[in-house]
Amino acid sequence: MSRMLLSPFVKFLFLEGVEQNQKGEVVSEKQNKYKHRFPSSSLYLLPHISSIFLCNFSLHPPPSISSSLSGPADIDSMATIGHNNLNAKLVLLGDMGAGKSSLVLRFVKGQFLEFQESTIGAAFFSQTLAVNDATVKFEIWDTAGQERYHSLAPMYYRGAAAAIIVYDITSTESFARAKKWVQELQKQGNPNMVMALAGNKADLEDKRKVTAEEARVYAEENGLFFTETSAKTAVNVNDTFYEIAKRLPRAQPAQNPAGMVLVDRPAESSQAASCCS
Amino acid sequence: MFGTQSTRDISFEFQSQIPNWRPSIYTRRANITVKFQDLYGFTVEGNVDDVNVLNEVREKVRQQGRVWWALEANKGANWYLQPQISSISEGIALKSSLKLSALTNTITLKRLIRKGIPPVLRPKVWFSLSGAAKKRSTVPESYYNDLTKAVEGKVTAATRQIDHDLPRTFPGHPWLDTSEGHATLRRVLVGYSFRDSDVGYCQGLNYVAALLLLVMKTEEDAFWMLAVLLENVLVNDCYTNNLSGCHVEQRVFKDLLAKKCPRIAAHLEALEFDVSLVATEWFLCLFSKSLPSETALRVWDVLFNEGAKVLFHVALAIFKMKEEELLLAHQVGDVINILQKTTHHLFDPEELLTVAFDKIGSMTTNTISKQRKKQEPAVMAELDQRLRRLNSLNEDDK
């Protein structure tokens, strides 16, 4: 749990009784040999699932009370995860070697390779997350980073619901490149796109060239959600995807269910509003 | 095909789950996954069926070798190296000076090559057929050595990118992923980046050059193969600054798919699935990253003899082979899964090439050239418009 709680962008309030909502099941759907299933009790992803419940939704009262408050439909969606299914196209953009593929590999397979094959064109992955009342199926396009591949990018970000713009905290060049991507997406991308700025390789603190503060200010100015990640140590990787899943516009949002709201995220609320709805 | 992940990276909790998830997920008939090295040293991960197919393929390669030796006994040594009526230049009027025997040899050779060049003859046959030998003969003997010496120690944007990609090119390969392999691949790529500064280095070439190195006996021959590929065999500007040639090929491919596989094309269009999403990598890496090595090399056998149109044949065949399955897919993700699973498991080259050439039907280099000409203006206009839009973004910034 502890590493998840280090996330700079999320403050949590822990209350008792949260566990009852942890029905999440995460299914990895990368097509090839690594296809596997994490049972709901998986130590591996559970902390992140719980983090979503904590920061997004209020604590649901017991079903009997809930039915009187929110109606049977709400009960239904709580009971059967998968009732509210959301497909979301997500694209990763960023400079060559910033670690786009590594972030995806970490998220989809829970692995890290010191040397990840360079991506040509783009690679496709999918991963389904259970977020309380819904499942979000990410269709992830991990694009090639070399500058000349830029001309292919629109094909991949067209119609994308979310984007993660990745830079390498040890390279100012890659940060400059990330800013260009942000600009381009703001002008050309889907206007409701949820955008995250991820400073990757956060484990290489001694080689850092881009300060977190600089990036955070930039992200705030541009309405992005900012995080520093390490695909190597897994810090903030899953959180980033969960945060995006959470911010995606919903067809049937359980935004204001009756009950206490246990969210304490003052710094985030304004940005979330601009991204989500 | 190139599964190289090492178990040390997998967390302990994850490992403990392996026995639980594996059998429940593999719905294939054979549940056991085997890992082994193929003919070219790549780690292959497949099930028992795949292993059987690979063994059959190996046997077929041996048989094909015997066919080549028999022909050599009949027609004389190196008969296949004699001047060809190159299919690459087909359409140019046949010179009257050509003898009938040369013509029959060309036809025999074309058929023979579609059945596969024995791995041991590959370096010799490719070097001659592709035109690499001719290209090399126009420069002094020492060209390659001089080039590599002259550029040694120079640092450019291209060399930095090459250095970055060396360990990321087929990582885990027993030769490519060694310091010797890296150094050799580096010399070839850096050398080429100086030979053609318009191309410099384009990601994707690392895979192409790596596979060339594994096939050709010497790095110099691999260098010339790379040169002839980029300068003669493939369409121009596939790898230059905005990949315009690649964009053209993708548009041509879409037209061909609509023509040759209309049901698939219509279905995918309804799903808003752009075939370039997957086909771009096929064309830029010449299938080296998606097909098992022997299958990819069989494609290259034909590519060097018949020209870039072969890439269309093969790409169309991959769709065609899975027509029924693709028509049942209703999500983009499913389409991609089908295509990726298909390409990764195409251990039998015969299966692919039969569809590519018999079922797809003939396409001449001429008609494809015409199609390219037709698409070029639109691609250029689009890229130009995009560039201007991006430039205006930058100006806004100032």
Side-chain angles (χ1 to χ4, degrees):
Chain A
M1 291 294 261
S2 60
R3 76 177 168 199
M4 171 271 302
L5 289 170
L6 294 173
S7 327
F9 52 92
V10 187
K11 287 188 200 162
F12 298 107
L13 269 184
F14 272 89
L15 284 194
E16 289 173 6
V18 168
E19 262 63 36
Q20 73 190 43
N21 282 341
Q22 293 176 352
K23 293 172 184 167
E25 183 183 66
V26 177
V27 183
S28 165
E29 296 193 355
K30 171 73 170 93
Q31 46 293 325
N32 64 16
K33 58 224 178 201
Y34 302 107
K35 206 166 176 182
H36 55 265
R37 179 180 292 261
F38 291 100
S40 57
S41 60
S42 162
L43 280 172
Y44 185 72
L45 282 165
L46 195 66
H48 310 284
I49 295 170
S50 66
S51 76
I52 290 305
F53 298 141
L54 278 165
C55 44
N56 194 26
F57 303 109
S58 69
L59 188 63
H60 286 277
S64 57
I65 303 168
S66 165
S67 66
S68 63
L69 292 170
S70 343
D74 205 79
I75 285 289
D76 195 39
S77 66
M78 274 180 64
T80 54
I81 288 169
H83 186 74
N84 283 339
N85 289 331
L86 195 68
N87 274 22
K89 179 174 173 183
L90 182 149
V91 63
L92 281 103
L93 299 164
D95 205 3
M96 180 175 166
K100 300 175 290 301
S101 303
S102 294
L103 284 177
V104 179
L105 186 75
R106 173 59 78 188
F107 173 56
V108 174
K109 298 181 195 162
Q111 297 171 0
F112 176 76
L113 303 176
E114 195 64 48
F115 295 109
Q116 170 81 33
E117 281 201 359
S118 42
T119 310
I120 309 302
F124 177 84
F125 301 84
S126 73
Q127 172 79 297
T128 304
L129 299 183
V131 186
N132 203 15
D133 66 331
T135 61
V136 176
K137 182 177 178 188
F138 277 122
E139 296 181 335
I140 304 167
W141 283 104
D142 166 28
T143 63
Q146 201 185 13
E147 182 102 36
R148 63 186 76 185
Y149 280 85
H150 197 131
S151 65
L152 294 170
M155 171 163 84
Y156 297 105
Y157 66 63
R158 194 173 298 140
I164 303 179
I165 295 123
V166 186
Y167 69 92
D168 168 359
I169 66 154
T170 70
S171 152
T172 47
E173 241 168 65
S174 76
F175 185 54
R177 187 86 197 285
K179 287 181 177 173
K180 285 197 174 158
W181 279 120
V182 171
Q183 248 185 347
E184 182 171 345
L185 290 180
Q186 283 170 340
K187 296 273 163 119
Q188 322 265 359
N190 156 22
N192 298 321
M193 192 185 280
V194 178
M195 280 196 256
L197 179 67
N200 193 36
K201 308 196 185 177
D203 51 292
L204 300 177
E205 190 56 54
D206 51 333
K207 292 186 187 162
R208 178 191 285 276
K209 296 268 169 57
V210 182
T211 65
E213 197 44 41
E214 180 186 2
R216 191 190 315 280
V217 168
Y218 173 79
E220 265 168 31
E221 281 168 7
N222 287 276
L224 312 170
F225 129 67
F226 169 69
T227 176
E228 284 196 349
T229 56
S230 166
K232 190 170 187 172
T233 64
V235 163
N236 284 341
V237 177
N238 290 345
D239 304 68
T240 306
F241 285 89
Y242 278 97
E243 184 66 23
I244 290 169
K246 211 179 69 171
R247 291 176 181 223
L248 291 169
R250 306 276 159 106
Q252 294 176 303
Q255 297 283 11
N256 294 306
M260 285 188 298
V261 176
L262 303 178
V263 179
D264 177 25
R265 297 160 47 229
E268 280 295 295
S269 55
S270 60
Q271 287 172 39
S274 68
C275 290
C276 276
S277 47
Chain B
M1 160 183 182
F2 312 120
T4 54
Q5 126 279 356
S6 62
T7 45
R8 76 196 140 87
D9 295 319
I10 303 174
S11 67
F12 179 72
E13 305 96 291
F14 186 84
Q15 266 182 1
S16 67
Q17 291 185 21
I18 290 174
N20 298 331
W21 56 258
R22 205 169 242 171
S24 67
I25 285 303
Y26 279 94
T27 51
R28 291 180 68 96
R29 190 165 61 83
N31 282 329
I32 306 154
T33 310
V34 210
K35 234 181 182 180
F36 54 96
Q37 279 189 357
D38 72 6
L39 213 58
Y40 288 89
F42 293 103
T43 304
V44 180
E45 209 167 315
N47 56 33
V48 175
D49 289 349
D50 297 329
V51 177
N52 289 337
V53 170
L54 266 176
N55 284 335
E56 280 167 33
V57 168
R58 214 162 273 194
E59 182 50 38
K60 275 188 206 155
V61 167
R62 270 193 289 268
Q63 282 171 16
Q64 187 63 6
R66 285 196 283 273
V67 175
W68 280 73
W69 306 135
L71 272 167
E72 188 147 328
N74 189 4
K75 290 174 181 284
N78 296 343
W79 65 276
Y80 42 80
L81 304 184
Q82 280 154 23
Q84 298 297 317
I85 309 167
S86 165
S87 310
I88 293 168
S89 61
E90 101 189 288
I92 297 168
L94 298 180
K95 297 213 175 73
S96 54
S97 62
L98 272 170
K99 286 182 192 156
L100 192 64
S101 68
L103 189 64
T104 52
N105 275 357
T106 304
I107 294 166
T108 314
L109 192 59
K110 182 173 170 180
R111 223 173 351 199
L112 205 57
I113 286 174
R114 284 189 180 186
K115 289 272 165 215
I117 301 172
V120 28
L121 287 180
R122 252 184 201 132
K124 206 158 75 171
V125 179
W126 280 10
F127 204 65
S128 158
L129 282 181
S130 63
K134 199 173 155 211
K135 192 173 268 295
R136 185 185 165 187
S137 69
T138 59
V139 295
E141 278 276 301
S142 59
Y143 178 97
Y144 181 73
N145 281 336
D146 296 347
L147 178 69
T148 47
K149 274 210 195 82
V151 303
E152 212 180 292
K154 287 195 175 163
V155 177
T156 63
T159 63
R160 273 195 297 268
Q161 293 177 340
I162 291 167
D163 286 334
H164 192 89
D165 273 351
L166 289 174
R168 309 202 301 158
T169 309
F170 299 127
H173 187 277
W175 182 75
L176 287 169
D177 201 0
T178 61
S179 54
E180 190 197 343
H182 290 172
T184 315
L185 181 60
R186 186 180 195 282
R187 279 193 298 273
V188 172
L189 289 172
V190 169
Y192 195 80
S193 79
F194 281 92
R195 175 180 166 95
D196 186 343
S197 54
D198 284 342
V199 171
Y201 171 67
C202 180
Q203 288 193 301
L205 293 180
N206 51 332
Y207 297 103
V208 174
L211 206 47
L212 283 171
L213 275 172
L214 292 182
V215 174
M216 306 304 290
K217 288 250 161 55
T218 68
E219 66 175 86
E220 184 176 353
D221 286 359
F223 171 84
W224 287 111
M225 288 304 294
L226 187 67
V228 83
L229 248 179
L230 268 57
E231 293 158 19
N232 304 82
V233 178
L234 300 177
V235 67
N236 284 339
D237 291 324
C238 260
Y239 298 96
T240 49
N241 90 66
N242 52 16
L243 311 177
S244 63
C246 174
H247 285 273
V248 172
E249 294 294 80
Q250 290 303 316
R251 278 170 176 251
V252 173
F253 177 58
K254 278 174 215 168
D255 282 356
L256 289 171
L257 188 75
K259 206 169 126 202
K260 298 277 183 183
C261 313
R263 289 169 72 208
I264 300 175
H267 180 70
L268 296 181
E269 204 181 326
L271 293 181
E272 295 184 348
F273 179 81
D274 186 337
V275 291
S276 304
L277 290 171
V278 290
T280 305
E281 188 213 84
W282 296 349
F283 280 73
L284 284 171
C285 299
L286 311 176
F287 298 100
S288 62
K289 211 167 173 286
S290 38
L291 292 176
S293 65
E294 178 61 18
T295 310
L297 296 176
R298 285 285 300 274
V299 171
W300 289 19
D301 285 347
V302 196
L303 172 71
F304 291 131
N305 190 39
E306 300 186 34
K309 67 167 189 174
V310 168
L311 301 177
F312 294 111
H313 276 277
V314 173
L316 289 169
I318 293 169
F319 281 92
K320 189 81 183 171
M321 288 168 82
K322 293 291 157 181
E323 179 155 18
E324 297 310 319
E325 245 180 275
L326 287 170
L327 291 176
L328 291 174
H330 290 290
Q331 284 192 6
V332 170
D334 297 337
V335 173
I336 295 164
N337 287 346
I338 293 169
L339 293 172
Q340 289 196 341
K341 214 168 87 190
T342 306
T343 49
H344 289 304
H345 283 270
L346 266 172
F347 293 108
D348 183 3
E350 222 61 56
E351 194 187 345
L352 175 67
L353 294 181
T354 309
V355 179
F357 295 107
D358 298 349
K359 287 219 179 122
I360 296 299
S362 83
M363 298 185 284
T364 65
T365 299
N366 238 343
T367 51
I368 287 178
S369 302
K370 274 184 201 151
Q371 300 218 38
R372 285 183 186 131
K373 281 268 175 322
K374 202 179 97 191
Q375 299 291 356
E376 258 168 33
V379 168
M380 292 307 175
E382 198 186 297
L383 290 173
D384 194 49
Q385 197 190 4
R386 232 183 90 71
L387 193 69
R388 262 179 298 167
R389 259 201 319 248
L390 288 177
N391 284 342
S392 74
L393 284 185
N394 291 341
E395 274 161 30
D396 286 356
D397 201 27
K398 289 163 196 164

